[in-house]
Amino acid sequence: SSGINAEYGGLTMTSKKEEEPASPELSNFIIFNPTLCKKEGQEAENILLFYTRKRVCEDVQVRQVGLCEGMINFTNRFSETTCEVLETKKTRQVYFGPEPDFWMVLTVGITEQSVKLVSNLTLRALLTTCYHLFVLFYGRLAELMTRMDVTELRSKLKKFFAPYWVTISVEESDVTDHVLGVQYLSIDPNTCLCTQRFINSLQD
């Protein structure tokens, strides 16, 4: 980046004119079910997981989940498609409803410098990938709700997703790296043919 040079007593001092663009950061990852709250004032019951790298009090969590739910309801009222992305000056928020009444929301903090480093397609791929990985190990959320109480489900979600998001770097993610968690590599024709024959034999 460009800078300003100044000489003092034979010493050269350099000051940066512009700082390096800040990287986009994960603000929070939320899983909620709006049908869990049975009484007004118990909206926290809707929250199945509120993951963030900074400590956030329950009141703040409830407000943020309420805003997400309000955006979903508002969009459904005026459109046949549900809300998928909400962009503001400081955040990018991606919505994903993997199952009826279950919502996943990923919020990423951005700056004017880092906004071009964030792809909505990549963020949505991150969401869908983490859901499918969870289903692979534990099963669908609705099925789990029939086999365990909400407290146990919350514990299982936290146990899986807390270490998962620690390993994810938003700025280094690419949609090709997050297609159901599979990275596709090229192989030689003979290996491809043998693989195809093996798949065909299994299908027969």
Side-chain angles (χ1 to χ4, degrees):
S1 59
S2 59
I4 301 175
N5 295 331
E7 292 188 2
Y8 296 93
L11 298 176
T12 301
M13 300 180 65
T14 302
S15 62
K16 289 186 177 181
K17 187 175 181 180
E18 296 180 356
E19 295 183 355
E20 295 295 329
S23 300
E25 295 182 350
L26 174 68
S27 296
N28 57 62
F29 168 69
I30 306 169
I31 303 177
F32 70 96
N33 184 325
T35 68
L36 297 177
C37 176
K38 305 302 181 182
K39 296 180 181 180
E40 185 176 353
Q42 297 180 350
E43 286 78 11
E45 294 297 319
N46 290 335
I47 304 174
L48 293 172
L49 176 69
F50 194 105
Y51 172 79
T52 179
R53 293 171 182 171
K54 299 178 181 179
R55 188 174 181 84
V56 178
C57 67
E58 186 178 271
D59 288 343
V60 174
Q61 296 181 24
V62 170
R63 286 199 299 270
Q64 292 195 22
V65 172
L67 290 173
C68 293
E69 185 178 352
M71 181 58 61
I72 293 169
N73 293 336
F74 177 82
T75 306
N76 289 341
R77 185 176 301 177
F78 297 100
S79 174
E80 295 181 356
T81 58
T82 58
C83 179
E84 294 185 349
V85 180
L86 176 63
E87 299 182 14
T88 69
K89 188 176 182 179
K90 295 184 178 181
T91 63
R92 185 75 56 82
Q93 199 168 60
V94 182
Y95 295 75
F96 176 48
E99 301 176 31
D101 297 325
F102 287 94
W103 285 94
M104 291 182 166
V105 183
L106 177 65
T107 306
V108 174
I110 58 176
T111 64
E112 292 182 3
Q113 292 81 13
S114 67
V115 64
K116 295 182 179 180
L117 302 177
V118 182
S119 163
N120 292 341
L121 186 61
T122 298
L123 295 181
R124 186 165 182 84
L126 286 173
L127 268 183
T128 56
T129 296
C130 77
Y131 167 73
H132 287 293
L133 286 175
F134 179 84
V135 171
L136 179 64
F137 288 101
Y138 295 104
R140 295 182 178 275
L141 297 171
E143 294 174 355
L144 293 176
M145 287 279 287
T146 64
R147 303 202 307 263
M148 61 184 66
D149 58 32
V150 178
T151 301
E152 187 177 354
L153 177 58
R154 289 192 181 104
S155 177
K156 193 173 294 291
L157 290 170
K158 182 178 180 180
K159 181 179 179 181
F160 179 84
F161 286 111
Y164 175 84
W165 286 110
V166 168
T167 65
I168 298 297
S169 177
V170 175
E171 66 273 17
E172 296 178 359
S173 297
D174 184 83
V175 67
T176 58
D177 295 327
H178 298 283
V179 181
L180 299 184
V182 178
Q183 183 177 15
Y184 294 94
L185 302 174
S186 59
I187 59 177
D188 63 86
N190 290 334
T191 303
C192 180
L193 181 60
C194 292
T195 303
Q196 186 61 53
R197 287 176 176 173
F198 177 69
I199 294 175
N200 291 339
S201 65
L202 292 178
Q203 292 176 340
D204 294 339

PDB file of all heavy atoms in Angstrom, residues 174-190:
ATOM      1  N   ASP A 174     -14.111 -20.973   0.065  1.00  0.00           N
ATOM      2  CA  ASP A 174     -14.493 -20.884  -1.338  1.00  0.00           C
ATOM      3  C   ASP A 174     -15.601 -21.897  -1.579  1.00  0.00           C
ATOM      4  O   ASP A 174     -15.591 -22.986  -1.009  1.00  0.00           O
ATOM      5  CB  ASP A 174     -13.301 -21.184  -2.251  1.00  0.00           C
ATOM      6  CG  ASP A 174     -13.667 -21.010  -3.717  1.00  0.00           C
ATOM      7  OD1 ASP A 174     -13.644 -19.878  -4.214  1.00  0.00           O
ATOM      8  OD2 ASP A 174     -14.002 -22.029  -4.353  1.00  0.00           O
ATOM      9  N   VAL A 175     -16.546 -21.552  -2.439  1.00  0.00           N
ATOM     10  CA  VAL A 175     -17.703 -22.420  -2.632  1.00  0.00           C
ATOM     11  C   VAL A 175     -17.307 -23.806  -3.119  1.00  0.00           C
ATOM     12  O   VAL A 175     -17.938 -24.801  -2.794  1.00  0.00           O
ATOM     13  CB  VAL A 175     -18.697 -21.765  -3.622  1.00  0.00           C
ATOM     14  CG1 VAL A 175     -18.112 -21.678  -5.017  1.00  0.00           C
ATOM     15  CG2 VAL A 175     -20.012 -22.535  -3.650  1.00  0.00           C
ATOM     16  N   THR A 176     -16.203 -23.903  -3.869  1.00  0.00           N
ATOM     17  CA  THR A 176     -15.780 -25.211  -4.365  1.00  0.00           C
ATOM     18  C   THR A 176     -15.228 -26.088  -3.257  1.00  0.00           C
ATOM     19  O   THR A 176     -15.117 -27.300  -3.418  1.00  0.00           O
ATOM     20  CB  THR A 176     -14.704 -25.051  -5.453  1.00  0.00           C
ATOM     21  OG1 THR A 176     -13.587 -24.315  -4.903  1.00  0.00           O
ATOM     22  CG2 THR A 176     -15.255 -24.295  -6.645  1.00  0.00           C
ATOM     23  N   ASP A 177     -14.891 -25.483  -2.111  1.00  0.00           N
ATOM     24  CA  ASP A 177     -14.371 -26.265  -0.992  1.00  0.00           C
ATOM     25  C   ASP A 177     -15.472 -26.727  -0.055  1.00  0.00           C
ATOM     26  O   ASP A 177     -15.204 -27.437   0.911  1.00  0.00           O
ATOM     27  CB  ASP A 177     -13.364 -25.441  -0.182  1.00  0.00           C
ATOM     28  CG  ASP A 177     -12.136 -25.098  -0.988  1.00  0.00           C
ATOM     29  OD1 ASP A 177     -11.753 -25.920  -1.840  1.00  0.00           O
ATOM     30  OD2 ASP A 177     -11.569 -24.010  -0.784  1.00  0.00           O
ATOM     31  N   HIS A 178     -16.711 -26.319  -0.322  1.00  0.00           N
ATOM     32  CA  HIS A 178     -17.776 -26.599   0.635  1.00  0.00           C
ATOM     33  C   HIS A 178     -19.032 -27.136  -0.053  1.00  0.00           C
ATOM     34  O   HIS A 178     -20.126 -26.653   0.152  1.00  0.00           O
ATOM     35  CB  HIS A 178     -18.112 -25.336   1.423  1.00  0.00           C
ATOM     36  CG  HIS A 178     -16.960 -24.843   2.234  1.00  0.00           C
ATOM     37  ND1 HIS A 178     -16.584 -25.422   3.411  1.00  0.00           N
ATOM     38  CD2 HIS A 178     -16.080 -23.844   2.004  1.00  0.00           C
ATOM     39  CE1 HIS A 178     -15.536 -24.791   3.904  1.00  0.00           C
ATOM     40  NE2 HIS A 178     -15.206 -23.835   3.069  1.00  0.00           N
ATOM     41  N   VAL A 179     -18.853 -28.097  -0.908  1.00  0.00           N
ATOM     42  CA  VAL A 179     -19.979 -28.761  -1.537  1.00  0.00           C
ATOM     43  C   VAL A 179     -20.241 -30.039  -0.755  1.00  0.00           C
ATOM     44  O   VAL A 179     -19.612 -31.064  -0.975  1.00  0.00           O
ATOM     45  CB  VAL A 179     -19.701 -29.072  -3.023  1.00  0.00           C
ATOM     46  CG1 VAL A 179     -20.909 -29.746  -3.652  1.00  0.00           C
ATOM     47  CG2 VAL A 179     -19.359 -27.787  -3.765  1.00  0.00           C
ATOM     48  N   LEU A 180     -21.110 -29.957   0.246  1.00  0.00           N
ATOM     49  CA  LEU A 180     -21.410 -31.084   1.130  1.00  0.00           C
ATOM     50  C   LEU A 180     -20.145 -31.652   1.763  1.00  0.00           C
ATOM     51  O   LEU A 180     -20.037 -32.832   2.042  1.00  0.00           O
ATOM     52  CB  LEU A 180     -22.149 -32.184   0.360  1.00  0.00           C
ATOM     53  CG  LEU A 180     -23.490 -31.756  -0.219  1.00  0.00           C
ATOM     54  CD1 LEU A 180     -24.169 -32.949  -0.868  1.00  0.00           C
ATOM     55  CD2 LEU A 180     -24.402 -31.139   0.831  1.00  0.00           C
ATOM     56  N   GLY A 181     -19.161 -30.762   1.984  1.00  0.00           N
ATOM     57  CA  GLY A 181     -17.945 -31.174   2.665  1.00  0.00           C
ATOM     58  C   GLY A 181     -16.990 -31.979   1.804  1.00  0.00           C
ATOM     59  O   GLY A 181     -16.001 -32.502   2.280  1.00  0.00           O
ATOM     60  N   VAL A 182     -17.241 -32.069   0.505  1.00  0.00           N
ATOM     61  CA  VAL A 182     -16.402 -32.881  -0.380  1.00  0.00           C
ATOM     62  C   VAL A 182     -15.597 -31.970  -1.287  1.00  0.00           C
ATOM     63  O   VAL A 182     -16.135 -31.075  -1.924  1.00  0.00           O
ATOM     64  CB  VAL A 182     -17.256 -33.835  -1.244  1.00  0.00           C
ATOM     65  CG1 VAL A 182     -16.356 -34.634  -2.180  1.00  0.00           C
ATOM     66  CG2 VAL A 182     -18.071 -34.758  -0.358  1.00  0.00           C
ATOM     67  N   GLN A 183     -14.294 -32.174  -1.322  1.00  0.00           N
ATOM     68  CA  GLN A 183     -13.450 -31.453  -2.256  1.00  0.00           C
ATOM     69  C   GLN A 183     -13.159 -32.369  -3.435  1.00  0.00           C
ATOM     70  O   GLN A 183     -12.624 -33.467  -3.260  1.00  0.00           O
ATOM     71  CB  GLN A 183     -12.143 -31.020  -1.601  1.00  0.00           C
ATOM     72  CG  GLN A 183     -11.256 -30.198  -2.531  1.00  0.00           C
ATOM     73  CD  GLN A 183     -10.004 -29.731  -1.839  1.00  0.00           C
ATOM     74  OE1 GLN A 183      -9.651 -30.230  -0.778  1.00  0.00           O
ATOM     75  NE2 GLN A 183      -9.326 -28.777  -2.418  1.00  0.00           N
ATOM     76  N   TYR A 184     -13.502 -31.914  -4.636  1.00  0.00           N
ATOM     77  CA  TYR A 184     -13.370 -32.754  -5.806  1.00  0.00           C
ATOM     78  C   TYR A 184     -12.001 -32.546  -6.459  1.00  0.00           C
ATOM     79  O   TYR A 184     -11.580 -31.425  -6.717  1.00  0.00           O
ATOM     80  CB  TYR A 184     -14.479 -32.428  -6.812  1.00  0.00           C
ATOM     81  CG  TYR A 184     -15.842 -32.795  -6.298  1.00  0.00           C
ATOM     82  CD1 TYR A 184     -16.642 -31.856  -5.647  1.00  0.00           C
ATOM     83  CD2 TYR A 184     -16.339 -34.083  -6.433  1.00  0.00           C
ATOM     84  CE1 TYR A 184     -17.895 -32.196  -5.157  1.00  0.00           C
ATOM     85  CE2 TYR A 184     -17.592 -34.437  -5.959  1.00  0.00           C
ATOM     86  CZ  TYR A 184     -18.362 -33.487  -5.327  1.00  0.00           C
ATOM     87  OH  TYR A 184     -19.595 -33.822  -4.842  1.00  0.00           O
ATOM     88  N   LEU A 185     -11.313 -33.651  -6.713  1.00  0.00           N
ATOM     89  CA  LEU A 185      -9.999 -33.614  -7.335  1.00  0.00           C
ATOM     90  C   LEU A 185     -10.032 -34.395  -8.644  1.00  0.00           C
ATOM     91  O   LEU A 185     -10.827 -35.317  -8.810  1.00  0.00           O
ATOM     92  CB  LEU A 185      -8.951 -34.219  -6.396  1.00  0.00           C
ATOM     93  CG  LEU A 185      -8.823 -33.563  -5.011  1.00  0.00           C
ATOM     94  CD1 LEU A 185      -7.847 -34.375  -4.158  1.00  0.00           C
ATOM     95  CD2 LEU A 185      -8.376 -32.122  -5.119  1.00  0.00           C
ATOM     96  N   SER A 186      -9.156 -34.016  -9.557  1.00  0.00           N
ATOM     97  CA  SER A 186      -9.092 -34.714 -10.837  1.00  0.00           C
ATOM     98  C   SER A 186      -8.371 -36.046 -10.673  1.00  0.00           C
ATOM     99  O   SER A 186      -7.463 -36.190  -9.843  1.00  0.00           O
ATOM    100  CB  SER A 186      -8.343 -33.854 -11.863  1.00  0.00           C
ATOM    101  OG  SER A 186      -7.035 -33.571 -11.398  1.00  0.00           O
ATOM    102  N   ILE A 187      -8.782 -37.048 -11.454  1.00  0.00           N
ATOM    103  CA  ILE A 187      -8.130 -38.354 -11.438  1.00  0.00           C
ATOM    104  C   ILE A 187      -7.868 -38.784 -12.867  1.00  0.00           C
ATOM    105  O   ILE A 187      -8.474 -38.271 -13.817  1.00  0.00           O
ATOM    106  CB  ILE A 187      -8.985 -39.414 -10.707  1.00  0.00           C
ATOM    107  CG1 ILE A 187     -10.359 -39.551 -11.386  1.00  0.00           C
ATOM    108  CG2 ILE A 187      -9.153 -39.067  -9.246  1.00  0.00           C
ATOM    109  CD1 ILE A 187     -11.231 -40.638 -10.774  1.00  0.00           C
ATOM    110  N   ASP A 188      -6.976 -39.740 -13.034  1.00  0.00           N
ATOM    111  CA  ASP A 188      -6.632 -40.198 -14.379  1.00  0.00           C
ATOM    112  C   ASP A 188      -7.751 -41.074 -14.934  1.00  0.00           C
ATOM    113  O   ASP A 188      -8.559 -41.619 -14.175  1.00  0.00           O
ATOM    114  CB  ASP A 188      -5.309 -40.966 -14.352  1.00  0.00           C
ATOM    115  CG  ASP A 188      -5.401 -42.222 -13.512  1.00  0.00           C
ATOM    116  OD1 ASP A 188      -5.817 -43.256 -14.065  1.00  0.00           O
ATOM    117  OD2 ASP A 188      -5.076 -42.147 -12.313  1.00  0.00           O
ATOM    118  N   PRO A 189      -7.819 -41.238 -16.263  1.00  0.00           N
ATOM    119  CA  PRO A 189      -8.920 -41.981 -16.901  1.00  0.00           C
ATOM    120  C   PRO A 189      -9.066 -43.420 -16.419  1.00  0.00           C
ATOM    121  O   PRO A 189     -10.180 -43.915 -16.254  1.00  0.00           O
ATOM    122  CB  PRO A 189      -8.555 -41.926 -18.393  1.00  0.00           C
ATOM    123  CG  PRO A 189      -7.719 -40.693 -18.525  1.00  0.00           C
ATOM    124  CD  PRO A 189      -6.943 -40.597 -17.247  1.00  0.00           C
ATOM    125  N   ASN A 190      -7.943 -44.136 -16.193  1.00  0.00           N
ATOM    126  CA  ASN A 190      -8.026 -45.527 -15.766  1.00  0.00           C
ATOM    127  C   ASN A 190      -8.666 -45.654 -14.389  1.00  0.00           C
ATOM    128  O   ASN A 190      -9.500 -46.532 -14.149  1.00  0.00           O
ATOM    129  CB  ASN A 190      -6.628 -46.145 -15.750  1.00  0.00           C
ATOM    130  CG  ASN A 190      -6.057 -46.339 -17.139  1.00  0.00           C
ATOM    131  OD1 ASN A 190      -6.811 -46.475 -18.101  1.00  0.00           O
ATOM    132  ND2 ASN A 190      -4.746 -46.329 -17.254  1.00  0.00           N
TER     133      ASN A 190
END
